[in-house]
Amino acid sequence: MRRYWRVLARRLQVWSAPARRAWRRSLQLRVVALTLVASSLLVGAFGWFIADRSAKILLSRAQDEVQISMRNKVAYAEQQLTVHPQARDPRLPKTFNDIVSQLADGDPSESGGSLVSIRAEDHPELPSVTSRNVATDELITGDLIHQVADEEKVARQIVTARVNDSTTKYLATGSPVPTSFGHVELYYMVPLTTEDSAANQIRTMVLATGIALVIMLGVIAGLVTRLVVTPVRVAARTAQRLSAGLLDQRMKVDGEDDLALLAASFNQMAANLQRQIVRLEELSRLQRRFTSDVSHELRTPLTTVRMAADLIFAERDEFDPAVARSAELLQAELDRFESLLTDLLEISRFDAGFAALDAEHTDLVPIVERVAERLAGLAERVGVAIELRLPDEPVIAEVDPRRVERVLRNLVGNAVEHGEAKPVQVTLASDDAAVAITVRDHGIGLKPGEERLVFNRFWRADPSRARQTGGTGLGLSISAEDARLHGGWLEAWGAPGEGAQFRLTLPVRSGDRLLAAPLPLIPRDRTPAPAEAPVPESAESAEPKAEVV
């Protein structure tokens, strides 16, 4: 039963999805629906009150008429029975028949089906007499007989009984008639057909009026909300076009009301945004052009200075120690300056949108090994061991190998620089959709919030810190752009005193959308380890092997 219930619940969710989506997205639908519900409740309550009060008024009027008629009938019956001193009078049954006949013939409602009956419960030898040959067992109930015969009081009941093959509602009234030999009971039964018909007509009229009123209120609510929602929808569509780059889109202003004021204010805001965006685009274009032009123009004097510096550096052994040291410093700073120019040119290509991806099917394992081999000298100088955790089988992905190698060179180089003479782990893993490479160091780490700042241009965690590699401050920015160009992610994690870890995630097939990464961003040695479980031999053989370079 639980399974069937879950299946039914899922099907209901699927079937109701369009309605729920329309409810969430349409303000007009919500307003009209709430108006219909509220008006239905109010109109329903008011209609029920009107119909109930009308039925009670009709019934009260019928009861008053029956009460007046009942008094007259009791008085007549009492007058006719005074001539009989005792219940054994043989003329008494005929008097009962005469009384019933006279009361029935003189009753204007007799033709409508009213009945008159006289009984003597205290004198069983006297037969009961009814104006028509109709069974009154359902009309004159035991409770009514008890109140009239035993308690000797006037009582009335509303009884629904089947008379002459039709079910009819009757107002049955009983009253004791005093006589010289005790009392007899007179019953007057009036059908409430007219009152029920009038009450039903009133209910039908109230129902029809209520339905028409609710529909009219719904239509009015729809029209009113349409007047308000339509400009809002136009403003939303105009805002979407503005966000898509169509800065000349404006709303139509009609009239002088609040909605017209909203449209005018929106148009003024759009015009101001257009001016600001155009100005910022022009400034950005000029800045990109300035950076690109300066970088290109610096190439020529840099080449000349490089030639002179190379000549001086080659002859430094013939100079005195101070001049030789100056030649070495000049050579190092020229290398850094040239690297900075290269990075600036690359950044300008990203900003201008000219960067292109030369994707090809590439094995990433040799790329990681090549990066580690080229940085082995630097790692040895600073006392950092680079540990490679690579799978035995090739990891093929459709990437640009030059850009991937540049990203890994930046990540591993930064990890070596900030490694604090502790090992740096480089891990490679893949699945059917993505490839992930993590670079983990155990250095000073990152403060909270700095994992989002490390990819900003020229940002440094500690500007006063002595540099070993002479970086330009643009490496991680270029790496992030390279990752985005692949459709991948470049993310960072760090904690003070616990080191940092960078994760590069790329799709296996170029153009695919990434949903998950094969490796976690937070290192496993940082998170609490789960309870150990037996590892099958196949899983052990699938673990990447660690290699120290």
Side-chain angles (χ1 to χ4, degrees), residues 162-223:
R162 188 170 183 82
V163 178
N164 294 333
D165 298 330
S166 63
T167 303
T168 309
K169 183 186 293 185
Y170 281 84
L171 174 61
T173 305
S175 175
V177 179
T179 64
S180 57
F181 54 84
H183 72 272
V184 296
E185 299 84 38
L186 180 65
Y187 296 96
Y188 183 37
M189 293 149 284
V190 179
L192 299 177
T193 306
T194 304
E195 287 74 9
D196 280 349
S197 177
N200 290 332
Q201 290 179 359
I202 293 175
R203 292 191 189 97
T204 302
M205 182 180 63
V206 169
L207 179 61
T209 305
I211 293 175
L213 181 60
V214 169
I215 294 175
M216 184 173 62
L217 289 175
V219 172
I220 294 174
L223 294 176

Side-chain angles (χ1 to χ4, degrees), residues 76 115 143 244 254 296:
Y76 177 80
L115 301 173
D143 186 27
D254 291 328
H296 281 91

Side-chain angles (χ1 to χ4, degrees), residues 115-127:
L115 301 173
V116 178
S117 178
I118 189 169
R119 296 187 178 194
E121 293 294 331
D122 293 340
H123 306 281
E125 67 277 6
L126 293 175

Side-chain angles (χ1 to χ4, degrees), residues 256-278:
E256 300 178 356
D257 55 4
D258 295 335
L259 295 177
L261 179 61
L262 171 64
S265 301
F266 184 90
N267 292 339
Q268 183 179 2
M269 178 192 67
N272 294 334
L273 286 176
Q274 182 179 12
R275 286 194 297 270
Q276 292 293 332
I277 291 174
V278 170

Side-chain angles (χ1 to χ4, degrees), residues 49 92 235 255-256 272 279 312 336 358 373 376-377 390 412 461 509 530:
F49 175 77
L92 190 57
E256 300 178 356
N272 294 334
R279 187 174 67 87
I312 295 173
R336 184 165 179 264
D358 298 328
E373 182 179 355
L390 308 176
V412 178
R509 290 167 293 275

Side-chain angles (χ1 to χ4, degrees), residues 47-303:
W48 175 84
F49 175 77
I50 293 296
D52 183 69
R53 289 298 301 169
S54 301
K56 288 182 178 179
I57 290 173
L58 292 173
L59 180 61
S60 177
R61 183 179 301 172
Q63 289 176 347
D64 292 341
E65 293 176 356
V66 169
Q67 184 177 1
I68 294 173
S69 179
M70 191 66 179
R71 288 201 202 101
N72 297 331
K73 294 179 187 300
V74 170
Y76 177 80
E78 182 180 358
Q79 181 182 3
Q80 296 297 319
L81 292 173
T82 54
V83 298
H84 300 283
Q86 58 183 355
R88 297 179 180 178
D89 190 342
R91 296 174 300 170
L92 190 57
K94 182 177 183 305
T95 303
F96 276 10
N97 288 326
D98 294 341
I99 292 174
V100 169
S101 298
Q102 182 63 31
L103 293 179
D105 294 339
D107 186 6
S109 62
E110 173 69 19
S111 59
S114 62
L115 301 173
V116 178
S117 178
I118 189 169
R119 296 187 178 194
E121 293 294 331
D122 293 340
H123 306 281
E125 67 277 6
L126 293 175
S128 61
V129 180
T130 306
S131 59
R132 288 187 293 163
N133 188 18
V134 175
T136 59
D137 295 338
E138 296 182 10
L139 296 175
I140 304 175
T141 62
D143 186 27
L144 183 62
I145 293 174
H146 172 71
Q147 295 182 38
V148 175
D150 298 340
E151 298 181 4
E152 298 184 8
K153 64 180 183 180
V154 179
R156 65 171 63 93
Q157 284 184 344
I158 296 178
V159 182
T160 300
R162 188 170 183 82
V163 178
N164 294 333
D165 298 330
S166 63
T167 303
T168 309
K169 183 186 293 185
Y170 281 84
L171 174 61
T173 305
S175 175
V177 179
T179 64
S180 57
F181 54 84
H183 72 272
V184 296
E185 299 84 38
L186 180 65
Y187 296 96
Y188 183 37
M189 293 149 284
V190 179
L192 299 177
T193 306
T194 304
E195 287 74 9
D196 280 349
S197 177
N200 290 332
Q201 290 179 359
I202 293 175
R203 292 191 189 97
T204 302
M205 182 180 63
V206 169
L207 179 61
T209 305
I211 293 175
L213 181 60
V214 169
I215 294 175
M216 184 173 62
L217 289 175
V219 172
I220 294 174
L223 294 176
V224 172
T225 53
R226 184 180 179 83
L227 293 176
V228 179
V229 171
T230 299
V232 175
R233 290 176 178 173
V234 173
R237 287 194 295 267
T238 306
Q240 291 175 352
R241 296 190 186 102
L242 289 173
S243 64
L246 304 176
L247 301 179
D248 58 342
Q249 297 294 310
R250 298 293 184 269
M251 292 181 62
K252 184 179 179 181
V253 180
D254 291 328
E256 300 178 356
D257 55 4
D258 295 335
L259 295 177
L261 179 61
L262 171 64
S265 301
F266 184 90
N267 292 339
Q268 183 179 2
M269 178 192 67
N272 294 334
L273 286 176
Q274 182 179 12
R275 286 194 297 270
Q276 292 293 332
I277 291 174
V278 170
R279 187 174 67 87
L280 291 176
E281 286 181 348
E282 182 66 20
L283 290 176
S284 177
R285 186 182 64 81
L286 292 176
Q287 182 182 9
R288 291 196 300 269
R289 182 174 179 181
F290 174 78
T291 303
S292 178
D293 292 345
V294 168
S295 301
H296 281 91
E297 292 298 329
L298 286 178
R299 279 292 182 184
T300 301
L302 178 61
T303 303

